[in-house]
Amino acid sequence: MTGTLVIVRHGESTWNKSNQFTGWHDVPLTDKGRAEATAAGATMRDAGLWFDVGHTSLLTRAVVTADLALDALDQPWLPVQRSWRLNERHYGALQGLDKKETTERHGAEQTKLWRRSYDVPPPPVDRDDPRHPLADRRYRLLPPDVLPATECLKDVVARVLPYWHDAVVPQLRADLDVIVVAHGNSLRALVKHLEDISDDEIAELNIPTGAPRRYEFDDSLRPTSAAYLGDAEAVAAAAAAVAAQAGGGSPP
């Protein structure tokens, strides 16, 4: 027997709303984002879900989304583990920039390459740049050489999968039901692994905010089912909104 896994991307943040590259920058949820988080919890409650343990990143938008969802699920007491390995992708020198303006300045092809290619990161920030994680006290106990100045999705996969194998897999093998609340790219990295998505195909995957996705596994932890919960049309519309953030329909 193995447990059930549910992944949830955090609700809309203030920089999602203003269409900025957010990355490791810590921003709050919007009112819409808080409502999405609460609705995600209600959806999971209506589906009869009950969790044994949770996981989030160290970024506020994921932490608060988990808190609101678990409150709606009547499990505000759930033990939750937090790790920098579940953080959003670090966007390097793009962090804080407007996505459409970046597309207009550098062209759609270059911007999409930075944003969605599997192995091409944006330009890095310097170590003394306030956007570098070295400037953030929450990472002060980590070895400096693990803190990224920029990342592509391949880099995110490399930091997410050790946490998956070391922290989450043993819980699933112990027949525990697990919820992971994280970010568009850290969850894309996990979905790529779980669903065996190719390097090229992962560029077109868009994970909507606040939409729980449930996985069931066989004894080898291969997914036997994977599906979003809730209204299918609403989930599709949310994914399309993510895809349009760069302007002109270009995926984010």
Side-chain angles (χ1 to χ4, degrees):
M1 294 291 292
T2 61
T4 295
L5 170 71
V6 174
I7 62 172
V8 184
R9 183 183 177 186
H10 65 80
E12 182 191 68
S13 74
T14 54
W15 278 20
N16 289 146
K17 185 176 181 179
S18 59
N19 210 26
Q20 293 170 266
F21 290 100
T22 311
W24 283 39
H25 187 70
D26 210 17
V27 294
L29 298 178
T30 62
D31 289 343
K32 176 184 176 182
R34 295 178 68 87
E36 287 176 333
T38 298
T43 295
M44 292 186 287
R45 182 193 63 217
D46 293 346
L49 290 171
W50 185 262
F51 296 103
D52 298 296
V53 66
H55 299 264
T56 75
S57 73
L58 296 184
L59 297 170
T60 298
R61 56 194 186 272
V63 171
V64 173
T65 295
D67 288 345
L68 291 170
L70 290 173
D71 189 56
L73 190 59
D74 297 326
Q75 282 194 266
W77 45 263
L78 187 75
V80 176
Q81 300 172 221
R82 311 196 194 283
S83 174
W84 68 276
R85 290 185 176 274
L86 296 176
N87 277 13
E88 177 59 285
R89 169 189 171 192
H90 196 293
Y91 278 100
L94 298 185
Q95 205 155 277
L97 300 184
D98 180 272
K99 295 175 183 177
K100 288 186 178 179
E101 289 180 1
T102 303
T103 300
E104 292 167 359
R105 181 180 305 174
H106 297 285
E109 183 176 351
Q110 179 62 66
T111 302
K112 184 176 181 181
L113 187 69
W114 283 333
R115 301 179 77 206
R116 300 296 279 200
S117 68
Y118 182 62
D119 56 4
V120 179
V125 294
D126 295 331
R127 290 172 67 89
D128 59 355
D129 190 303
R131 293 173 293 181
H132 196 290
L134 285 170
D136 194 320
R137 290 185 63 190
R138 79 192 76 187
Y139 309 115
R140 69 190 184 282
L141 300 181
L142 294 174
D145 57 357
V146 306
L147 297 176
T150 185
E151 290 180 304
C152 58
L153 186 61
K154 183 177 181 180
D155 298 321
V156 181
V157 170
R159 66 167 159 85
V160 166
L161 288 189
Y163 189 79
W164 164 254
H165 290 300
D166 294 344
V168 182
V169 165
Q171 294 170 347
L172 293 171
R173 289 197 180 280
D175 197 23
L176 301 182
D177 293 331
V178 180
I179 181 171
V180 175
V181 182
H183 305 267
N185 283 295
S186 52
L187 293 178
R188 287 173 69 230
L190 182 55
V191 170
K192 183 182 191 303
H193 170 72
L194 292 177
E195 302 185 27
D196 196 23
I197 300 173
S198 73
D199 296 354
D200 292 333
E201 292 174 333
I202 195 64
E204 304 306 323
L205 176 67
N206 297 293
I207 296 180
T209 55
R213 185 169 178 83
R214 177 170 56 190
Y215 288 87
E216 303 285 350
F217 301 95
D218 63 17
D219 289 342
S220 298
L221 276 187
R222 289 187 294 263
T224 57
S225 67
Y228 285 107
L229 305 177
D231 182 82
E233 291 186 3
V235 171
V242 172
Q245 284 178 349
S250 174

